[in-house]
């Protein structure tokens, strides 16, 4: 049985999780959880034993110096608590780590053990995947669940995917068997600029998380970073006519597909978000100190978990025109491996348009697969 010391009774807690690796194109999902932790000053209260779940030849520990003292940071998954005040208090349990190398069932059981002890009411898992989406348009974010009631009440897609999966899919399935409502939110990252970071995709995930949790999230510099990122990609595209033409073709396909719903739910969601930020009862929820484990207290010490990366992207893959699969000469893109309501291979979720191609429901890009297809 898990016993937690220094963690108070939480108010309507929701667990928000993201894992680096297969499910995290552009580091968009893990960066979103890191942003929550940083903005609301979450404190790590527990970490899973790295020996149980990680192959250190795949995810190697790092050595660093702290005031002349040599220390080691082990790859693992850490949990932190954020206590949010305001008119509608709601606490968050953040889970951030690396997709485990082994013992996935035990890994999920341990995560759900913490969820049970903390009284978690719902689990939201964030993911990101590579897709045929233009960087100049809003980032497609799909929300899926295995719970029919949750799909209906929260306007989500019900998962019907069959095929290879990652830790996000396994964790969502474990939640279903444990009777805990679970939602997956997926952002589609342009495959032709997959190098992390991708602040625009991170921002889109946080905006959708706001809708799901009915909670205003402080965004800090993310909006500015997203604009700088898009400007950087614009400059890269302008330097190569083939890249510019390809981006234009993606834009045309996306715009054509989205015409029927231009005045529908998408605009309604944006308007609701605008009203929430303008008249949402003052400032966003704030983290409180009551009951949080202080730095260095509790069963685990906080290790370096913050990542800082420059806002401008770098192009990856071979030079344009050298690859056989398209004008970008990109590395073989990896679409979503889980796609609700579609046949494996169509590359988009049921009810989504061609511009949202690749927005999967449970898991991230399938390594080695081709764009728009499933393993």
């Amino acid at each position: 049985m898990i016993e937690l010391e220094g963690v108070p009774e939480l108010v309507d807690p929701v667990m928000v999780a993201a894992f680096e690796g297969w499910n995290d194109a552009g580091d968009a999902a893990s960066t979103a959880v890191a942003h929550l932790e940083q903005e609301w000053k979450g404190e790590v209260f527990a970490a899973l034993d790295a020996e149980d779940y990680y192959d250190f030849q795949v995810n190697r520990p790092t050595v660093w110096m702290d005031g002349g003292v040599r220390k080691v940071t082990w790859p693992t998954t850490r949990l932190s608590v954020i206590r949010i005040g305001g008119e509608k208090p709601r606490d968050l349990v953040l889970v951030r780590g690396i997709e485990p190398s082994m013992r996935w069932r035990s890994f999920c059981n341990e995560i759900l053990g913490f969820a049970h002890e903390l009284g978690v009411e719902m689990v939201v898992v964030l993911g990101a995947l590579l897709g045929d989406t233009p960087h100049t348009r809003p980032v497609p974010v799909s929300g899926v669940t295995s719970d029919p009631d949750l799909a209906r009440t929260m306007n989500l897609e019900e998962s019907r995917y069959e095929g290879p999966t990652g830790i996000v899919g396994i964790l969502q399935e474990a939640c279903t068997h444990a009777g805990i409502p679970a939602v997956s939110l997926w952002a589609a990252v342009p495959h032709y600029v997959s190098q992390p970071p991708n602040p625009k995709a991170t921002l889109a995930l946080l905006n959708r998380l706001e809708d799901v949790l009915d909670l205003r999230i402080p965004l800090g510099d993310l909006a500015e970073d997203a604009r700088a990122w898009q400007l950087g990609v614009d400059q890269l595209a302008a330097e190569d006519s083939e890249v510019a033409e390809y981006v234009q073709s993606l834009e045309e396909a996306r715009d054509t597909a989205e015409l029927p719903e231009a005045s529908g739910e998408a605009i309604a969601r944006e308007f609701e978000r605008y009203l929430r930020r303008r008249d949402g009862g003052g400032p966003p929820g704030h983290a409180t100190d009551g009951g949080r484990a202080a730095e260095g207290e509790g069963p685990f010490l906080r290790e370096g978990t913050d990542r800082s990366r420059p806002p401008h992207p770098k192009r990856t893959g071979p030079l344009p025109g050298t690859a056989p699969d398209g004008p970008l000469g990109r590395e073989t893109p990896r679409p979503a491996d889980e796609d609700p309501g579609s046949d494996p291979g169509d590359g988009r979720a049921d009810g989504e348009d061609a511009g949202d191609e690749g927005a999967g429901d449970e898991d991230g890009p399938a390594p080695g697969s081709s764009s728009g297809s499933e393993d």
Side-chain angles (χ1 to χ4, degrees), residues 47-56 74-77 102-103:
L48 276 59
D49 190 340
E51 292 279 352
D52 291 340
Y53 304 114
Y54 294 97
D55 180 347
F56 298 139
W74 296 92
T76 189
T77 295
M102 61 194 80
R103 302 185 183 92

Side-chain angles (χ1 to χ4, degrees), residues 63 126 159 185 210 261 263 331 362:
V63 179
L126 306 182
S159 173
L185 301 179
E210 283 186 322
E261 60 179 66
S263 59
E331 293 178 342
E362 290 183 13

Side-chain angles (χ1 to χ4, degrees), residues 14 16 90 92 122 124 154 208-215 217:
V14 173
V16 181
R90 160 158 274 180
L92 300 182
M122 182 171 68
V124 180
M154 302 187 73
R208 187 64 185 274
L209 184 63
E210 283 186 322
D211 297 337
V212 170
L213 300 184
D214 190 21
L215 178 70
I217 297 173

Side-chain angles (χ1 to χ4, degrees), residues 349-373:
D350 189 17
E352 290 181 351
D353 54 63
D356 289 358
E357 186 164 318
D361 73 322
E362 290 183 13
D363 213 358
S369 61
S370 61
S371 179
S373 64

Side-chain angles (χ1 to χ4, degrees), residues 46-284:
L48 276 59
D49 190 340
E51 292 279 352
D52 291 340
Y53 304 114
Y54 294 97
D55 180 347
F56 298 139
Q57 290 183 328
V58 176
N59 297 291
R60 293 186 178 273
T62 57
V63 179
W64 54 288
M65 300 299 293
D66 181 16
V69 178
R70 189 177 181 87
K71 294 187 176 181
V72 176
T73 298
W74 296 92
T76 189
T77 295
R78 296 177 175 83
L79 293 86
S80 58
V81 171
I82 293 174
R83 312 216 66 200
I84 304 173
E87 293 183 359
K88 296 181 179 180
R90 160 158 274 180
D91 298 335
L92 300 182
V93 179
L94 303 182
V95 180
R96 181 160 65 105
I98 305 170
E99 183 177 66
S101 306
M102 61 194 80
R103 302 185 183 92
W104 284 17
R105 285 179 292 187
S106 297
F107 179 88
C108 291
N109 288 337
E110 191 165 353
I111 294 292
L112 292 180
F114 282 106
H116 175 74
E117 288 298 315
L118 294 169
V120 167
E121 298 180 349
M122 182 171 68
V123 175
V124 180
V125 192
L126 306 182
L129 50 93
L130 300 180
D132 290 329
T133 180
H135 72 278
T136 54
R137 298 295 185 263
V139 175
V141 178
S142 60
V144 295
T145 180
S146 299
D147 187 328
D149 294 332
L150 206 59
R152 182 176 60 256
T153 58
M154 302 187 73
N155 193 29
L156 301 169
E157 295 288 338
E158 188 174 349
S159 173
R160 295 184 179 89
Y161 170 76
E162 297 178 277
T165 188
I167 193 60
V168 171
I170 298 301
L171 180 57
Q172 182 163 349
E173 184 68 13
C175 290
T176 300
H177 286 293
I180 301 177
V183 174
S184 296
L185 301 179
W186 288 96
V189 172
H191 59 73
Y192 56 89
V193 57
S194 58
Q195 179 77 12
N198 190 316
K200 187 172 182 178
T202 295
L203 182 62
L205 280 171
L206 291 175
N207 283 336
R208 187 64 185 274
L209 184 63
E210 283 186 322
D211 297 337
V212 170
L213 300 184
D214 190 21
L215 178 70
R216 182 180 170 188
I217 297 173
L219 299 178
D221 296 329
L222 265 179
E224 181 179 348
D225 291 345
R227 285 191 292 270
W229 177 87
Q230 182 165 327
L231 178 61
V233 182
D234 287 342
Q235 293 172 347
L236 288 176
E239 294 171 0
D240 192 297
S241 60
E242 290 185 69
V243 174
E245 290 175 4
Y246 182 73
V247 172
Q248 183 178 3
S249 70
L250 292 178
E251 291 173 339
E252 292 172 354
R254 175 76 178 271
D255 294 344
T256 300
E258 287 191 345
L259 281 177
E261 60 179 66
S263 59
E265 293 183 359
I267 290 180
R269 284 196 301 268
E270 289 301 320
F271 185 64
E272 290 174 358
R273 185 177 297 117
Y274 164 76
L275 292 178
R276 181 165 58 243
R277 290 197 168 276
R278 188 191 68 173
D279 303 320

